[in-house]
């Protein structure tokens, strides 16, 4: 059972007695902190593994959903500011990549320098460019097409009613989100990851993250679809905690 820090936004999956580094993971649309629980098996014993818990799911099920990026990223940044400083890596998948980027942007603007690396997975810096999803049926179809949630849950009316509000909220949030092209460049290194058969982002599109940082950039393409990181969890966790370096893309 993960131990939770004081913030409801952060779920702690590992608790080293003397942590040396921190990995903060941001879930995809409709996802929750538990998605990253398995990563606790793959990080070094000295790594403190935290996962962001968005409102409206799991232990925050009864809390109001956050419908826009600005208040969500600002809330997460505020909670992370309260933690003791450690060399830190952010990892975000799909919608989580955008939330991680926006959170780091706020932290750097606040003078924080200990987040040294941003890993962005399954998303280009400006999104998929595909059509927005608005109706419940469109949201369900989008989730089915990506394979992120067991499609069988949507065949059960009660489960569908239970899960759809958070998933739909997140899809609307990320559809409405636009990255500021005039935002300052990050100082942290950026590492982009994607599956070679991801229908939402090509490797060339993922390489567009190079433009958001003045630091080093690298790219990893692994075999798989949008949720390539599920079967490759151990490898992805290892990549996330590697020292930053610049690779050809």
């Amino acid at each position: 059972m993960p131990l939770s820090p004081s913030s409801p936004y952060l779920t702690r999956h590992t608790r080293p007695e003397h942590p040396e580094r921190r990995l903060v993971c941001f879930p995809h649309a409709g996802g929750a902190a538990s998605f990253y629980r398995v990563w606790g098996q793959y990080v070094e014993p000295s790594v403190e593994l935290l996962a962001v818990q968005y409102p409206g799911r799991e232990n925050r099920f009864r809390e109001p959903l956050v419908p826009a990026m600005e208040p969500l990223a600002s809330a997460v940044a505020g909670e992370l500011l309260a933690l003791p400083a450690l060399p830190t890596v952010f990892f975000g998948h799909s919608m989580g990549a955008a939330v991680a980027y926006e959170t780091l942007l706020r932290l750097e603007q606040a003078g924080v320098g200990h987040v040294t690396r941003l890993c962005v997975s399954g998303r280009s810096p400006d999104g998929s460019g595909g059509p927005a999803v608005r109706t419940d049926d469109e949201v369900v179809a989008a989730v089915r097409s990506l394979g992120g949630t067991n499609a069988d849950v949507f065949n059960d009316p009660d489960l569908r009613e239970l899960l759809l509000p958070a998933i739909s909220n997140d899809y609307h949030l990320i559809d409405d989100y636009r990255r500021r092209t005039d935002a300052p460049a990050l100082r942290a290194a950026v590492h982009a990851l994607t599956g070679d058969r991801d229908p939402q982002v090509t490797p060339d599109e993922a390489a567009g993250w190079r433009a958001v940082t003045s630091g080093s950039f690298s790219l990893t393409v692994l075999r798989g679809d949008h949720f390539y990181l599920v079967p490759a969890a151990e490898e992805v966790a290892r990549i996330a905690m590697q020292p930053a370096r610049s690779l050809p893309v």
Side-chain angles (χ1 to χ4, degrees):
M1 189 76 175
L3 298 173
S4 177
S6 58
S7 167
Y9 272 96
L10 301 172
T11 295
R12 196 186 302 273
H13 290 313
T14 66
R15 194 175 193 130
E17 185 176 356
H18 301 292
E20 297 177 3
R21 293 190 293 166
R22 178 180 294 133
L23 173 60
V24 182
C25 296
F26 295 72
H28 53 281
S34 62
F35 182 79
Y36 293 103
R37 182 181 297 131
V38 68
W39 285 31
Q41 304 174 39
Y42 307 133
V43 297
E44 295 178 1
S46 61
V47 173
E48 180 183 70
L49 173 62
L50 303 179
V52 174
Q53 187 74 293
Y54 309 135
R57 63 215 76 200
E58 293 188 339
N59 61 309
R60 305 189 71 188
F61 179 75
R62 298 189 183 279
E63 297 183 37
L65 297 160
V66 180
M69 178 65 78
E70 195 283 329
L72 181 61
S74 294
V76 177
E79 299 300 335
L80 288 169
L81 277 170
L83 297 180
L86 284 174
T88 297
V89 174
F90 281 3
F91 180 96
H93 179 64
S94 198
M95 181 186 92
V99 182
Y101 163 74
E102 290 290 340
T103 300
L104 180 52
L105 195 62
R106 286 157 174 76
L107 290 177
E108 288 199 349
Q109 289 173 332
V112 169
H114 59 263
V115 183
T116 59
R117 195 166 189 236
L118 169 66
C119 294
V120 284
S121 166
R123 181 178 170 85
S124 75
D126 298 307
S128 67
V133 292
R134 295 297 179 190
T135 69
D136 285 351
D137 287 344
E138 287 172 339
V139 170
V140 170
V143 173
R144 287 183 189 274
S145 71
L146 296 176
T149 300
N150 187 339
D152 292 342
V153 303
F154 295 116
N155 298 329
D156 184 312
D158 292 333
L159 287 176
R160 177 181 166 121
E161 183 179 359
L162 193 70
L163 296 173
L164 258 182
I167 300 173
S168 181
N169 174 85
D170 293 355
Y171 268 83
H172 291 147
L173 181 155
I174 201 62
D175 284 343
D176 291 339
Y177 165 71
R178 297 293 182 273
R179 182 178 66 87
R180 283 176 45 207
T181 56
D182 63 343
L186 296 174
R187 297 187 296 275
V190 173
H191 188 109
L193 302 94
T194 191
D196 62 359
R197 289 176 281 109
D198 189 333
Q200 285 206 332
V201 56
T202 66
D204 284 346
E205 290 168 338
W209 284 103
R210 180 199 297 273
V212 309
T213 183
S214 61
S216 65
F217 176 80
S218 49
L219 172 69
T220 296
V221 180
L222 297 175
R223 295 184 62 182
D225 56 18
H226 189 64
F227 281 93
Y228 73 92
L229 72 169
V230 174
E234 182 174 4
E235 182 177 6
V236 175
R238 177 181 55 79
I239 291 170
M241 296 309 296
Q242 286 176 349
R245 66 190 190 281
S246 182
L247 297 176
V249 298

